[in-house]
Amino acid sequence: QEVIKIGFSGPLSGGAALYGKNVLSGMQMAAAEINAKPLQIGGKAYKLEIVALDDKYNPSETGINVQRLVQQHKTAAVLVPHSGGIFAVQAFNEKSKVLLLAYTSLPQATERGNTLTVRLPPDFTGYIGPFTKAMMAKHGKNVALAAADHDYAKAWAAAFKPAWEAAGGKVVAENPMSYNKATDFYSGVSRVIQAKPDVLFIGGASEPTALVAKQARELGFKGGFIIIDQAKIDEMAKVVGGLAPLEGSVGVMPVSGDDRPEPAAFTARYRKANPGKDPSSEISINYSAVHATVAAMKLAGTVSDAAAIRAKMGEAFKTLPPEHNPNDIEGLDSKGGTVANTIIGIVEGGKIKGQFLRAMNTVK
Amino acid sequence: MELFLQQVLNGLTLGGVYALVALGLTLVYGILHVPNFAHGAFYMAGAYSAFFLINRLGLNYWWGMLGAAVTVALISVLSERLVFHPLRKAPYLHHMIASIGILLFLEAGAQALWGADFHRMETPYTQLLTFGSLTLPAQRLLIIGAAFLLVVLLQLFLTKTITGATIVAMAQNREGAALVGIDANRVAMLTFAIAGALAGMAAVLYAPINLVYTSMGHLVITKAFVIIVLGGMGSVPGAIAGGLIIGFAEAFGAFYISTDYKDIIAFALLVLILSVRPQGLFARGAH
Amino acid sequence: MKMFNPTAGWTLLLALALAFPFMAGNDYHLTVMSTAYIYAIATVGLNLITGYTGQFNLAHSGFMAVGAYTVGILTVDHGFPFWAALPLAGLVAAVLGVFVGLVSLRLKTHFFSIFTLCVGYIMFLLIEKWESLTHGTVGIVGIPAPEPFAGLDFSEPRALYYLVLGFLVASLWVMHRIVRSLLGRTFMAIRNSDDLAQALGIDLMRNKLLAFVLSVFFAGLAGGLYAGSVRFLGPGIAGVEHTFDMTMYMLVGGIGTLLGPLLGAIGVPWLTQYLQFLQEYRFVVFGPLLVLLVIFLPHGIVGTWLNRRRRQAAKAAPAPAPAPAPAPVQEVRHA
Amino acid sequence: MLEITSLTKRFGGLTAVNDVSASCARGTINAIIGPNGAGKTTFFNLISGAIRPTSGRILFDGEDVTGLRADQAARLGMARTFQTTALFDTATVLDNLIVGHRLRTRATLVDVILGTKRLRDEERICREKARAALDFVGLAHIESRVAGDISQEERKRVAFALALCTDPKLVLLDEPAGGVNPEETEGLARLIRKMAASGLTVCLIEHKMDMIMNLADRILVLNYGEKIAEGTPAEIRANPAVIEAYLGSEHA
Amino acid sequence: MLRLDKVSLSYGSFRALHDVSIHADEGELVVLLGSNGAGKSSIFLTMSGLQRAASGSIRFGARELVGRKPSQIVADGLVHCPEGRKLFPGMSVLKNLTLGAYVHRRDSRGVARTLDEVFGLFPILHEKKDVPAGSLSGGQQQMAAIGRALMGRPKALLLDEPSLGLAPLVVKQMFDIIARINRAGTTVLLAEQNAYAALNIASRAYVIEQGRIVLEGGRDELLNNAQVRKAYIGA
Ligand SMILES: Nc1ncnc2c1ncn2[C@@H]1O[C@H](COP(=O)(O)OP(=O)(O)OP(=O)(O)O)[C@@H](O)[C@H]1O
Ligand SMILES: Nc1ncnc2c1ncn2[C@@H]1O[C@H](COP(=O)(O)OP(=O)(O)OP(=O)(O)O)[C@@H](O)[C@H]1O
Ligand SMILES: [Mg+2]
Ligand SMILES: [Mg+2]
């Protein structure tokens, strides 16, 4: 029995370690499931192993790690969960013939035509229309932007602003904040509240996002929050003490709050394997990524030819059994980004109500 | 006006916490000339110990704070004994690197023990007090009150008690202190203990309005260094003034200028002040 | 007692470095080594101001980032060839160094360190916030590899390795010339005591500034090479932890020596590579290791070795001629 | 040679040097004495440019040097020693001295990198200067000793040598015989005389009266920052104000 | 009352003291003569516990001092006024003196009395009591250092080169004061370069060279010793 290895290079120590470990735990859950059954590819029996290396979020270390994974561990695919590392790896992954599973929502990851990259999270721009519509109808036309100031949140804000204005809304204040470096958000939040917005556009990592929401409420903000998809409503609720302070907000549906059978089953399995923890989309999407990669290997009949595996990735996602696909990823677009029929969550009456994104977009 | 007062309150909150952290740093600096980069990790350790005592063992907030103060004082004293004491004759670069070693160890240790997750620390003071149109979360008032009480107690201790004077004496001449019968080791340990306890208490005061996580100390340590330089190394009133300056600069900067650039404000302030006054703001001749 | 010949030692090291790609035969090893060399160039620069001149600069990684971003911005946004951008990397860092140095070098000891710590932080924040210039947090994507040169394709790890090695050797050579010359002695006189140096007619500001600017020139150059080898830049490269890393390399190897920072910059990254199996517990081990090293080998590996050699040399040398001393009073006599 | 007019230095409220005028002729030995805290070291610091005077004027060789930095003053030919000399303890005595002549050299970074002839010549000259200075102070035999290992008296002599390497016209010696025993003091006095004989102008601060009285051509007495007397040793010895403030009756 | 028996001391591999045996009886004023680097300060440092003897014993009264901490030794009544003064430069003169009485801190009445005595000996210190010690001139600092040592109410006082860098008039006063302190009952051990002045107030003296005692004797005997005169008195 031989071993197939899938690599991981992400932050496992330092400030971003939680994020890296979440991603890794999704991957490891998939690997455990795959290894629980006999795995046959091209007529040979295999065992799957996830090889994880720490890069402290440092792109040059990601480069080194991926080289190491390719050379010493012969991994045909590596998963990198941060844009800097992804860009650094894209400088050589085609030459080194390794499939890059890129967990970043930044469109640049696939726009540059790298032939061995798959972008794992679905394109965030699909959320913008429904979020705008729901919140404008519910609360009013004035929005204040107070999301984080890192690459992803800024890309979000940049796409959101014209959409909101196009829908007849007004941006009354704009004040991105350093969610993971600031000691306190009080001044920044009071600055945007002062503009009397109906809606507050926030988001970064879940926990600081929750603090921002909490402080906005303390400062008397009564409207709704548009929460970018990086923050998870369920995780935020733990920090602010329940869903009540988030009443009237919109964000992505947390996996653990999704009561369709597959996500619910996934949540149950994850909780069993990781007591006391809820799966977030970081976990569930990367879980599916590992399943899909192995499925693509089966379809391509190879465990080492990255190009052949890449060619089958779309099909692999399509044919993934629903229990391995809690986020309902339907395949890949032409550039290698995933396409999914995501559901969004609106907090109403102390509960998160789900709504299909596609349904909302088509109504428009 | 109300918004202005809100920022004043905010500046006081931040300034109070910064001052507490900077005080420990400046004391240790004054005595052993140790630029203790691990001081931010002490702060982090304080938050984790209290988190553990309060959320896991179910103690109340004040017992949690006491526990954190004692734990961090212990960690701090251990660092002095095991690391800084053996290095007392080494140049300051060595202290710096050694303290980074301690920092790496404590952060990795906290992650190994409690994981990388963000944690919330509970406080009984969750009320929102309103004065006119001004809302004041009780915890923020508590921070301001407690920080300034601690500062006053410390200053009294250093200037009015003989034990306090021994700390100052040690800072000025270690050998001279030994020769009048002051036990240098005990004073060094005492200083580290006080510094640790202050950092621990600062963390427990502040954590309930923020989060508990392993790199939380990074936020305060660089600013604490800025503060002790501004205020003059080893000077207690300087650390308080410096803390308030940075606190207010951030609160008002974030509000009136830009949240985006508010961190630059603090550092640019230091660069500016040191360019004009190389000894810092409050240094009076030889110290 | 037989002495180790320094020239032979350096030649041996160079030979080893030249042969390394044939022994390693593995892109991973080459990449680790090239990255280590790049940081070694910056560390050798840092050693000039911190090790030889005695001013502990904490903004070094900021200057390295300035060099890197110079190459990144010029090649990606303005279509410069890498080879035209690289010298500018050093130059821009150096010019900035003049301004920072003029203000900061008036300060002494800790004040200088904390001041430069803040300068480094400001550089980091500016890179992160000044989006129109630096692409902010997204970073600079798609930096081209250095253009082929004499038939060498520098997107290949091996060619890149030799390129970086070439710059490292040149840097060490220049540094060797500097520290062995009158100029180096001038810097060391300042480190030893600036009052005395000034009384000897040494213009403190001019010489400190020269050392500082040279030092950040190396940082800028290393940054430029970094841009050409990693080919992506984010603000993180300016982070002060990289300066701490370089200071650590210097200290581990031996501060104020030529070989020390080089050994540190190569040895420490390999050590952390070998500690990778510990994953998140890496620093639970590495932290105390660092502390032990600082306590028990305060002069670093090279420094300790040099001191031992010096002591042996002193023992081997003939006893110094007795100075004309006061007539010794002979035996103990009791009154 | 050295012409000082109304030199004054105030530190906050304290006037450390108050309206002192003095002059030194070429090739003479001039001593400055006075009680502790009289302002002697401050006076030296003012002349050598280590601190700026509050008011007053210093002429050196006919040139106004008031307010120059110490390194500029050194280049004009003023050298000084400190009460305690910081030597680079792990280098040899000779290596410590080579940098002493740096101020008379012009080699730049370019010379250093290209290894020009100028650099090599200048390095040779510096080395020769260092050797000559060591020889002058009588320490030629210890040039390859490690500086950390030499005796106190040898350190004092090395400090002289370091000053001599700068090719000075004037040397300012701050307590050259402090902490040195009488026998060695005598040796240092001979050396100072030899320096003056070679054409150097010497100013020194010293408390050892026997030495001063034998050595100095002229003595300047400071008290509370003010000049209370000036003259030959014999005049000073007989000056009642000096006896009152400084010497005490025993030396009279 | 104070007796060193075959005390040796090493700094790393360098042996600074070789089997030094000296003693001082109660009320004596004993002088240690020796050129620079002879080991005078080293002897004092081992006595006050700042350096640890490699071998030998130091008895103070009935007590063995080797192995005791400096702070305990001060409490025992052996106070060292070091070379280089080691004052607290940023503290007022008064605070420096108060800290000198650290081991007697519980006896505030006694401390006040000693303080008056010290001010009596050094009126200038009273005048400058609120000034930071660091801004005193060299001679004033030396007085403050001796004053601080006296505040510890020593039974035996170790004075290391108290005349270093002082003006002649002050040196003379200094020796007068030392003699007075001694006459008042304090045993004094005095290390000096200024042999003539020191011997004049001494009862006995030792000569140290390169870490060894090479000569000992009564005051007059040493004053008249040709070698001593040549080497240390310079006449
Ligand atoms: N930088 C300074 N700031 C404030 N006061 C100073 C400074 N330097 C010297 N003084 C004061 O100026 C006066 C003269 O000091 P100076 O050192 O010149 O005396 P001195 O004659 O050299 O004495 P000594 O013989 O004791 O060395 C003293 O009262 C001293 O305290
Ligand atoms: N901390 C130390 N480390 C190494 N060697 C030392 C140390 N202190 C003193 N020495 C050496 O020990 C020897 C004796 O020094 P010590 O200070 O006891 O002499 P001293 O008689 O007091 O001289 P001085 O008159 O200069 O004060 C000298 O050779 C000195 O260099
Ligand atoms: Mg003086
Ligand atoms: Mg001595």
Side-chain angles (χ1 to χ4, degrees):
Chain A
Q1 195 185 20
E2 290 185 35
V3 178
I4 326 169
K5 293 178 178 174
I6 294 181
F8 164 89
S9 173
L12 294 175
S13 60
L18 171 64
Y19 172 65
K21 294 180 79 171
N22 278 343
V23 170
L24 186 58
S25 86
M27 295 177 71
Q28 279 163 340
M29 179 173 168
E33 289 178 5
I34 290 167
N35 287 332
K37 288 186 226 146
L39 172 61
Q40 291 274 333
I41 297 176
K44 268 203 260 178
Y46 285 98
K47 217 174 119 42
L48 176 65
E49 192 185 313
I50 306 289
V51 189
L53 295 177
D54 180 17
D55 64 21
K56 294 179 280 179
Y57 228 92
N58 177 346
S60 78
E61 297 221 12
T62 317
I64 289 172
N65 283 347
V66 172
Q67 296 267 20
R68 182 175 183 174
L69 290 167
V70 174
Q71 307 273 342
Q72 293 196 337
H73 297 282
K74 312 283 178 221
T75 57
V78 290
L79 193 148
V80 178
H82 53 108
S83 59
I86 288 165
F87 295 135
V89 172
Q90 284 181 336
F92 65 84
N93 74 317
E94 293 171 302
K95 201 165 258 169
S96 302
K97 303 204 172 49
V98 59
L99 175 61
L100 174 61
L101 303 172
Y103 187 75
T104 174
S105 297
L106 277 192
Q108 287 99 319
T110 43
E111 267 164 15
R112 304 174 40 81
N114 189 291
T115 54
L116 289 181
T117 299
V118 171
R119 180 170 50 72
L120 298 174
D123 188 2
F124 69 85
T125 50
Y127 298 119
I128 292 174
F131 279 15
T132 302
K133 205 153 62 186
M135 287 296 104
M136 208 180 277
K138 219 178 172 88
H139 301 284
K141 288 191 181 308
N142 290 343
V143 71
L145 309 184
D149 64 352
H150 58 269
D151 48 3
Y152 182 47
K154 282 203 160 158
W156 242 101
F160 172 79
K161 199 176 151 187
W164 182 269
E165 283 167 347
K170 192 165 163 238
V171 176
V172 292
E174 209 170 332
N175 195 26
M177 297 185 286
S178 180
Y179 277 38
N180 43 14
K181 282 203 288 285
T183 356
D184 194 15
F185 306 110
Y186 233 55
S187 298
V189 173
S190 57
R191 182 179 152 110
V192 288
I193 301 285
Q194 182 200 20
K196 308 248 177 287
D198 306 311
V199 176
L200 212 50
F201 174 85
I202 60 173
S206 302
E207 290 80 3
T209 308
L211 288 180
V212 171
K214 182 169 184 267
Q215 296 184 356
R217 290 290 188 234
E218 284 175 5
L219 287 164
F221 176 68
K222 300 270 189 297
F225 297 104
I226 292 180
I227 302 162
I228 73 173
D229 61 339
Q230 187 187 355
K232 313 293 177 316
I233 296 178
D234 54 339
E235 288 171 358
M236 288 175 64
K238 283 184 203 155
V239 174
V240 295
L243 283 170
L246 300 175
E247 183 67 28
S249 304
V250 64
V252 288
M253 185 72 194
V255 181
S256 62
D258 193 338
D259 47 13
R260 289 173 300 163
E262 284 83 24
F266 171 77
T267 303
R269 287 205 304 280
Y270 185 83
R271 284 186 179 146
K272 201 165 153 213
N274 302 276
K277 293 192 68 172
D278 283 340
S280 61
S281 54
E282 276 137 43
I283 294 169
S284 59
I285 292 179
N286 291 300
Y287 161 87
S288 299
V290 170
H291 272 298
T293 307
V294 172
M297 287 174 173
K298 281 188 192 156
L299 290 169
T302 170
V303 298
S304 56
D305 183 345
I309 299 169
R310 168 68 186 80
K312 295 289 179 194
M313 280 301 282
E315 192 184 340
F317 271 117
K318 268 197 198 89
T319 54
L320 219 49
E323 70 267 27
H324 293 161
N325 194 0
N327 296 74
D328 212 357
I329 297 171
E330 298 170 333
L332 296 183
D333 62 21
S334 60
K335 289 177 179 156
T338 56
V339 180
N341 184 14
T342 320
I343 68 173
I344 65 170
I346 297 176
V347 184
E348 255 173 23
K351 282 215 195 67
I352 310 176
K353 300 220 168 110
Q355 229 168 337
F356 277 102
L357 199 56
R358 192 160 296 154
M360 294 183 74
N361 275 332
T362 47
V363 172
K364 176 177 81 177
Chain B
M1 188 61 206
E2 153 208 344
L3 281 161
F4 177 82
L5 286 178
Q6 199 85 58
Q7 302 323 314
V8 170
L9 171 80
N10 203 18
L12 283 172
T13 318
L14 282 174
V17 172
Y18 288 161
L20 284 186
V21 178
L23 271 177
L25 197 64
T26 210
L27 278 184
V28 164
Y29 205 110
I31 299 254
L32 295 172
H33 302 277
V34 172
N36 186 9
F37 281 90
H39 197 70
F42 291 175
Y43 172 85
M44 178 273 302
Y48 270 97
S49 348
F51 168 75
F52 178 75
L53 294 172
I54 296 170
N55 288 39
R56 302 282 162 86
L57 299 189
L59 299 187
N60 83 19
Y61 181 73
W62 294 105
W63 282 112
M65 182 179 295
L66 185 70
V70 172
T71 313
V72 183
L74 221 63
I75 294 176
S76 183
V77 168
L78 274 178
S79 310
E80 198 276 334
R81 283 289 90 187
L82 299 179
V83 181
F84 296 118
H85 184 72
L87 279 176
R88 67 198 174 282
K89 297 209 172 93
Y92 110 94
L93 202 61
H94 290 64
H95 291 130
M96 196 176 97
I97 296 296
S99 66
I100 290 171
I102 300 176
L103 164 94
L104 294 176
F105 173 74
L106 287 178
E107 287 192 3
Q111 190 183 326
L113 282 177
W114 286 289
D117 309 48
F118 288 96
H119 299 284
R120 281 286 293 163
M121 188 192 294
E122 300 306 328
T123 159
Y125 308 101
T126 53
Q127 310 84 320
L128 281 179
L129 310 176
T130 38
F131 299 95
S133 55
L134 202 61
T135 40
L136 303 181
Q139 182 69 23
R140 284 177 186 259
L141 284 182
L142 177 68
I143 292 173
I144 298 171
F148 289 97
L149 179 71
L150 282 170
V151 164
V152 169
L153 287 180
L154 180 72
Q155 181 66 354
L156 287 178
F157 171 72
L158 289 179
T159 52
K160 300 289 180 225
T161 69
I162 288 269
T163 316
T166 62
I167 292 185
V168 183
M170 266 277 292
Q172 300 187 359
N173 196 321
R174 211 182 160 100
E175 235 180 6
L179 288 172
V180 299
I182 296 170
D183 183 341
N185 288 334
R186 255 181 50 197
V187 176
M189 288 194 283
L190 176 68
T191 312
F192 264 88
I194 292 174
L198 286 174
M201 287 191 276
V204 181
L205 283 171
Y206 198 68
I209 58 171
N210 208 304
L211 297 162
V212 178
Y213 53 101
T214 51
S215 57
M216 63 190 285
H218 298 189
L219 305 176
V220 289
I221 183 71
T222 331
K223 281 171 197 158
F225 269 108
V226 170
I227 289 164
I228 68 171
V229 170
L230 275 185
M233 315 228 182
S235 152
V236 171
I240 297 157
L244 287 177
I245 290 176
I246 298 294
F248 277 103
E250 277 188 18
F252 283 92
F255 188 78
Y256 290 105
I257 304 172
S258 150
T259 317
D260 229 8
Y261 284 93
K262 80 166 194 236
D263 283 324
I264 294 191
I265 298 169
F267 296 114
L269 205 67
L270 177 100
V271 165
L272 218 86
I273 290 176
L274 279 193
S275 306
V276 184
R277 269 188 69 99
Q279 336 69 23
L281 277 183
F282 304 97
R284 296 156 301 154
H287 194 90
Chain C
M1 134 123 257
K2 205 164 166 340
M3 286 284 157
F4 190 69
N5 179 346
T7 321
W10 284 104
T11 317
L12 180 69
L13 276 184
L14 180 64
L16 280 176
L18 286 171
F20 180 78
F22 301 97
M23 305 188 295
N26 174 326
D27 287 353
Y28 155 61
H29 290 143
L30 283 178
T31 313
V32 174
M33 211 51 157
S34 323
T35 313
Y37 287 171
I38 291 173
Y39 274 100
I41 294 173
T43 308
V44 163
L46 181 61
N47 192 34
L48 184 64
I49 187 76
T50 300
Y52 284 105
T53 319
Q55 316 293 316
F56 301 137
N57 174 20
L58 290 178
H60 207 62
S61 55
F63 285 100
M64 187 167 167
V66 167
Y69 269 85
T70 305
V71 166
I73 293 167
L74 288 179
T75 53
V76 171
D77 294 342
H78 302 281
F80 275 53
F82 176 84
W83 294 110
L86 184 65
L88 289 174
L91 213 64
V92 172
V95 169
L96 196 64
V98 173
F99 292 107
V100 172
L102 273 176
V103 184
S104 62
L105 287 165
R106 300 188 315 142
L107 306 170
K108 295 194 174 168
T109 61
H110 318 109
F111 290 98
F112 175 76
S113 303
I114 304 290
F115 187 94
T116 48
L117 178 74
C118 292
V119 169
Y121 215 86
I122 292 175
M123 285 174 159
F124 167 78
L125 290 171
L126 279 179
I127 290 177
E128 194 183 83
K129 308 286 183 200
W130 192 352
E131 282 175 29
S132 55
L133 182 71
T134 64
H135 301 228
T137 43
V138 175
I140 299 186
V141 186
I143 299 169
E147 295 79 18
F149 179 83
L152 290 170
D153 171 8
F154 295 113
S155 64
E156 284 295 337
R158 186 176 291 194
L160 193 70
Y161 172 89
Y162 283 114
L163 172 71
V164 176
L165 177 63
F167 275 97
L168 176 63
V169 170
S171 305
L172 281 170
W173 184 80
V174 168
M175 203 49 77
H176 166 81
R177 296 219 60 123
I178 292 174
V179 301
R180 293 293 128 84
S181 73
L182 271 181
L183 196 59
R185 287 176 193 279
T186 313
F187 295 157
M188 286 184 258
I190 293 174
R191 171 185 68 185
N192 188 34
S193 152
D194 48 5
D195 281 344
L196 179 61
Q198 196 173 28
L200 292 174
I202 292 169
D203 185 335
L204 292 184
M205 192 58 191
R206 227 177 105 177
N207 283 284
K208 282 185 191 175
L209 190 64
L210 180 61
F212 187 77
V213 170
L214 272 171
S215 140
V216 303
F217 175 81
F218 282 97
L221 193 70
L225 289 169
Y226 178 96
S229 89
V230 177
R231 294 167 58 192
F232 164 79
L233 292 175
I237 174 186
V240 68
E241 62 273 15
H242 294 298
T243 304
F244 289 150
D245 284 345
M246 290 187 264
T247 311
M248 186 202 316
Y249 300 157
M250 214 163 49
L251 215 60
V252 168
I255 188 166
T257 65
L258 207 54
L259 181 61
L262 178 68
L263 288 193
I266 296 173
V268 175
W270 278 110
L271 180 68
T272 51
Q273 282 297 319
Y274 282 113
L275 292 179
Q276 268 276 12
F277 72 94
L278 293 168
Q279 289 197 1
E280 62 206 88
Y281 301 108
R282 200 146 53 127
F283 291 102
V284 180
V285 177
F286 187 75
L289 216 60
L290 194 59
V291 170
L292 289 178
L293 194 116
V294 169
I295 294 177
F296 292 108
L297 278 187
H299 302 289
I301 296 158
V302 175
T304 307
W305 179 70
L306 279 178
N307 283 350
R308 156 121 27 105
R309 223 182 67 173
R310 202 175 284 130
R311 213 170 305 137
Q312 281 167 349
K315 250 185 225 150
V329 186
Q330 281 305 330
E331 81 279 16
V332 182
R333 221 181 30 148
H334 276 273
Chain D
M1 175 77 200
L2 188 65
E3 199 76 50
I4 294 157
T5 351
S6 300
L7 200 60
T8 299
K9 176 70 192 180
R10 271 188 284 273
F11 293 113
L14 176 93
T15 308
V17 172
N18 193 3
D19 195 25
V20 175
S21 301
S23 66
C24 304
R26 187 180 306 279
T28 55
I29 300 174
N30 305 273
I32 297 156
I33 62 172
N36 294 110
K40 303 178 296 294
T41 301
T42 310
F43 188 60
F44 260 29
N45 285 340
L46 289 171
I47 299 174
S48 67
I51 54 179
R52 287 169 154 271
T54 310
S55 65
R57 210 157 75 106
I58 306 166
L59 283 185
F60 176 60
D61 240 0
E63 217 175 311
D64 189 344
V65 298
T66 321
L68 288 190
R69 285 194 317 265
D71 55 297
Q72 295 168 320
R75 226 161 290 144
L76 292 175
M78 266 193 228
R80 72 169 295 188
T81 64
F82 293 85
Q83 272 166 294
T84 47
T85 311
L87 293 179
F88 185 21
D89 280 346
T90 57
T92 64
V93 170
L94 187 70
D95 274 334
N96 264 287
L97 287 175
I98 288 174
V99 77
H101 197 59
R102 167 68 174 144
L103 78 172
R104 306 281 173 226
T105 62
R106 330 221 76 79
T108 61
L109 182 62
V110 178
D111 294 291
V112 168
I113 291 173
L114 299 181
T116 58
K117 178 161 179 310
R118 171 158 83 174
L119 177 78
R120 270 173 288 136
D121 287 348
E122 289 184 348
E123 290 190 332
R124 198 192 62 236
I125 292 170
C126 286
R127 194 169 290 268
E128 283 165 5
K129 274 282 167 198
R131 287 229 164 84
L134 261 188
D135 201 37
F136 188 94
V137 301
L139 292 182
H141 58 285
I142 65 160
E143 70 163 51
S144 52
R145 293 258 299 280
V146 174
D149 294 350
I150 64 176
S151 77
Q152 188 67 26
E153 188 235 1
E154 286 165 339
R155 277 181 103 83
K156 295 270 178 197
R157 285 175 184 258
V158 170
F160 284 12
L162 204 45
L164 291 176
C165 283
T166 64
D167 273 353
K169 297 177 200 149
L170 169 71
V171 288
L172 306 164
L173 310 171
D174 197 350
E175 296 202 35
V180 161
N181 72 35
E183 173 106 357
E184 293 163 344
T185 302
E186 188 44 48
L188 290 175
R190 275 197 301 273
L191 180 55
I192 292 170
R193 222 171 269 128
K194 186 172 153 196
M195 281 159 66
S198 74
L200 287 173
T201 310
V202 178
C203 288
L204 75 158
I205 296 176
E206 199 37 270
H207 286 304
K208 295 192 173 172
M209 275 311 114
D210 301 335
M211 174 184 181
I212 291 294
M213 293 297 171
N214 288 325
L215 192 61
D217 296 311
R218 290 190 70 76
I219 298 176
L220 170 74
V221 188
L222 294 181
N223 190 25
Y224 288 109
E226 289 179 36
K227 179 167 91 176
I228 55 167
E230 189 180 9
T232 63
E235 290 163 6
I236 296 298
R237 212 189 293 258
N239 187 315
V242 180
I243 294 169
E244 156 85 31
Y246 184 57
L247 293 178
S249 48
E250 178 196 11
H251 280 265
Chain E
M1 77 171 315
L2 184 59
R3 180 176 293 276
L4 273 69
D5 197 20
K6 291 202 159 54
V7 168
S8 296
L9 172 72
S10 295
Y11 297 111
S13 58
F14 173 74
R15 176 146 288 215
L17 298 178
H18 303 263
D19 292 338
V20 169
S21 301
I22 57 173
H23 72 275
D25 294 329
E26 181 127 23
E28 264 194 313
L29 195 161
V30 177
V31 171
L32 301 181
L33 297 176
S35 58
N36 281 111
K40 305 180 297 292
S41 300
S42 301
I43 292 178
F44 282 2
L45 291 171
T46 47
M47 286 198 239
S48 62
L50 286 182
Q51 292 289 347
R52 200 191 159 99
S55 63
S57 100
I58 303 173
R59 298 196 78 81
F60 181 54
R63 191 164 250 156
E64 174 61 49
L65 296 186
V66 174
R68 275 175 90 69
K69 288 198 275 189
S71 52
Q72 297 170 316
I73 293 173
V74 176
D76 293 342
L78 181 65
V79 179
H80 176 188
C81 178
E83 191 176 9
R85 296 148 200 172
K86 311 268 152 75
L87 291 170
F88 309 123
M91 289 187 177
S92 68
V93 171
L94 183 61
K95 200 110 191 206
N96 267 278
L97 295 177
T98 317
L99 277 171
Y102 177 72
V103 292
H104 306 294
R105 60 191 175 279
R106 295 195 218 302
D107 171 21
S108 54
R109 188 100 48 83
V111 171
R113 203 171 336 110
T114 324
L115 189 63
D116 283 340
E117 284 167 28
V118 168
F119 282 149
L121 275 177
F122 304 107
I124 183 76
L125 295 184
H126 186 253
E127 208 174 294
K128 299 234 166 196
K129 68 183 188 331
D130 297 318
V131 171
S135 66
L136 295 181
S137 80
Q140 296 161 351
Q141 289 194 17
Q142 187 63 55
M143 296 183 201
I146 296 179
R148 188 181 70 181
L150 290 176
M151 290 298 294
R153 270 184 261 148
K155 296 194 195 97
L157 180 63
L158 310 176
L159 290 171
D160 198 351
E161 303 209 27
S163 72
L164 191 71
L166 299 189
L169 192 63
V170 184
V171 171
K172 196 173 161 317
Q173 286 171 3
M174 194 65 76
F175 281 107
D176 287 347
I177 288 168
I178 294 168
R180 264 165 68 193
I181 293 168
N182 176 240
R183 274 199 303 277
T186 310
T187 309
V188 174
L189 230 65
L190 173 66
E192 262 297 335
Q193 301 265 346
N194 199 334
Y196 184 76
L199 282 175
N200 258 325
I201 59 169
S203 40
R204 285 187 309 115
Y206 293 88
V207 177
I208 304 157
E209 270 172 20
Q210 289 170 0
R212 291 185 172 83
I213 301 290
V214 291
L215 190 65
E216 68 168 283
R219 172 179 95 164
D220 298 332
E221 196 175 349
L222 286 191
L223 271 175
N224 296 323
N225 182 301
Q227 284 161 327
V228 172
R229 290 187 72 85
K230 183 164 184 322
Y232 301 106
I233 299 175

